[in-house]
Amino acid sequence: MDPLASSNIYGYAVVINTDRKFSRRRQFTPAATPAQQTDSLREGIYVTFTALSVTLVVASHPGTPLAATLVLLATTTGTVLAALTADALSHLAVHDRFLNGPELRHALRASLGSLVTVVAPFVLLGASTLGAWPLTPALWVSAAVLLATLVTVAAVAIRGINVPWWQRTLFLLTLGVAGLVVVWLQTLAHG
């Protein structure tokens, strides 16, 4: 198929390149490599598990809604900074040089992009801070949302892999059970 499409508009010939690889967006954000996609998914899963654990710990000893929000903010920020530090240090150790521009942008995109997984808990805790509902239900709903986010991120990640549907389903169920085990262990440890 020819990637060039033409049309006559008011007597002028307009040529449009319909090939996606020549779009303006691709000039600034090239397609991620499999290794970069792996990094982004890993960071999202780390942040989600960390937020889930912290949310459960705070739920077992609730204070004020603002304090709970600040604890979650400090923890997720610390996790992202730790991931960036680990990326920079491991890159330096393996390649004998610091991250260059594209590598640094990727590390930032992977780490900061993982914060998307904690938007809903921040909204729920923000609503609690504003007095819309009590803190304890906000924390437990946040934990449920984080668990659902974990399974959703995994489902999106494996949607196109070439394995039978039952293996994908088994993996997602295993991940959901792992999340529930985290919930159970945190409840035991801090209950």
Side-chain angles (χ1 to χ4, degrees), residues 35-88:
Q36 291 171 331
Q37 292 173 357
T38 300
D39 293 343
S40 295
L41 287 169
R42 183 183 60 238
E43 297 306 325
I45 291 168
Y46 283 163
V47 168
T48 305
F49 262 122
T50 302
L52 177 61
S53 295
V54 167
T55 301
L56 292 168
V57 168
V58 173
S60 66
H61 306 291
T64 66
L66 180 59
T69 304
L70 292 176
V71 166
L72 185 60
L73 178 64
T75 302
T76 54
T77 302
T79 303
V80 167
L81 290 175
L84 282 170
T85 303
D87 282 347

Side-chain angles (χ1 to χ4, degrees), residues 153-172:
V153 165
V156 169
I158 67 170
R159 74 182 181 281
I161 64 173
N162 192 19
V163 297
W165 67 268
W166 63 269
Q167 287 178 349
R168 287 191 301 257
T169 303
L170 182 62
F171 172 75
L172 292 175

Side-chain angles (χ1 to χ4, degrees), residues 4-182:
L4 298 178
S6 65
S7 177
N8 284 326
I9 300 175
Y10 300 111
Y12 295 98
V14 177
V15 178
I16 301 170
N17 187 345
T18 58
D19 190 2
R20 289 187 55 110
K21 70 180 179 182
F22 290 108
S23 72
R24 288 188 128 199
R25 177 173 161 75
R26 293 275 183 195
Q27 293 173 8
F28 300 104
T29 57
T33 66
Q36 291 171 331
Q37 292 173 357
T38 300
D39 293 343
S40 295
L41 287 169
R42 183 183 60 238
E43 297 306 325
I45 291 168
Y46 283 163
V47 168
T48 305
F49 262 122
T50 302
L52 177 61
S53 295
V54 167
T55 301
L56 292 168
V57 168
V58 173
S60 66
H61 306 291
T64 66
L66 180 59
T69 304
L70 292 176
V71 166
L72 185 60
L73 178 64
T75 302
T76 54
T77 302
T79 303
V80 167
L81 290 175
L84 282 170
T85 303
D87 282 347
L89 181 59
S90 61
H91 188 276
L92 180 62
V94 171
H95 299 287
D96 292 329
R97 65 177 175 79
F98 292 103
L99 295 167
N100 63 24
E103 293 163 341
L104 180 60
R105 279 192 299 278
H106 165 67
L108 287 169
R109 190 178 314 132
S111 295
L112 295 175
S114 65
L115 292 175
V116 169
T117 63
V118 292
V119 169
F122 278 117
V123 169
L124 294 166
L125 291 174
S128 180
T129 300
L130 296 174
W133 65 333
L135 176 60
T136 302
L139 289 166
W140 284 104
V141 171
S142 293
V145 167
L146 286 165
L147 187 57
T149 299
L150 187 63
V151 174
T152 302
V153 165
V156 169
I158 67 170
R159 74 182 181 281
I161 64 173
N162 192 19
V163 297
W165 67 268
W166 63 269
Q167 287 178 349
R168 287 191 301 257
T169 303
L170 182 62
F171 172 75
L172 292 175
L173 287 173
T174 302
L175 185 61
V177 168
L180 289 174
V181 168
V182 168

